[in-house]
Amino acid sequence: MTQHTFSIIKPDATKRNLTGKINAVIEDAGLRIVAQRRIHMTEAQAKRFYEVHKDRPFYGELVESMTSAPVVVQVLEGDNAVARYREVMGATNPEQAAEGTLRKLFALNVGENSVHGSDSLENAALEIAQFFSPADIVG
Ligand code: ADP
Ligand code: MG
């Protein structure tokens, strides 16, 4: 089934000029980038985006890191795109990420792990709606 998922190329990756290399891995995996914008997230946007983690000990550092430099927000389209992109990203902690995954290739540590991808179809729709309007998505 064709799905849309939401992706973020995080500050640790944009700072190291890795946007193109990450996009190449995404495209080589058969996912199509159907919307993309570079933004500097505000504190309010980052807090809202990661609200589910607000009681976790790393929430403050996560919000600080997500607002420390520009990010690239994206909508990815493909067959089973939500689960597929989670596979392409690899485990949250790069020490546990499989060979060839984005986090194995590029992440610095469990916090600065280069990419975000939605964890369910329902969250994908909510996350896409936080950053894109339907007209932005050109499939
Ligand atoms: P994922 O991004 O793989 O869905 P989570 O939803 O569990 O992972 O966490 C969201 C983000 O919070 C992670 O991608 C990472 O940037 C940060 N994070 C998660 N766990 C930790 C941790 N133990 N220490 C610091 N940052 C963390
Ligand atoms: Mg998550």
Side-chain angles (χ1 to χ4, degrees), residues 10 50 53 56 58 61-62 86 92 103 110-113 115-117:
K10 294 183 177 184
Y50 279 122
H53 296 305
R56 307 282 285 276
F58 57 81
E61 106 190 31
L62 179 58
R86 295 289 302 190
T92 307
R103 284 163 165 172
V110 66
E112 297 169 297
N113 57 4
V115 284
H116 165 85

Side-chain angles (χ1 to χ4, degrees), residues 62-79:
L62 179 58
V63 169
E64 195 174 320
S65 126
M66 290 300 289
T67 55
S68 67
V71 299
V72 177
V73 291
Q74 304 175 311
V75 180
L76 309 182
E77 180 181 271
D79 191 43

Side-chain angles (χ1 to χ4, degrees), residues 19-101:
T19 298
K21 287 200 170 91
I22 288 172
N23 279 351
V25 173
I26 289 170
E27 293 185 332
D28 287 348
L31 293 163
R32 186 175 299 278
I33 301 162
V34 293
Q36 173 169 260
R37 185 187 311 121
R38 183 173 163 105
I39 62 169
H40 199 132
M41 262 198 204
T42 64
E43 188 179 330
Q45 281 176 313
K47 281 184 166 165
R48 177 180 161 200
F49 186 74
Y50 279 122
E51 192 166 14
V52 65
H53 296 305
K54 68 177 183 320
D55 296 325
R56 307 282 285 276
F58 57 81
Y59 182 65
E61 106 190 31
L62 179 58
V63 169
E64 195 174 320
S65 126
M66 290 300 289
T67 55
S68 67
V71 299
V72 177
V73 291
Q74 304 175 311
V75 180
L76 309 182
E77 180 181 271
D79 191 43
N80 212 13
V82 173
R84 179 79 186 112
Y85 189 47
R86 295 289 302 190
E87 280 174 13
V88 172
M89 288 198 303
T92 307
N93 185 341
E95 289 174 15
Q96 277 137 38
E99 286 302 324
T101 61

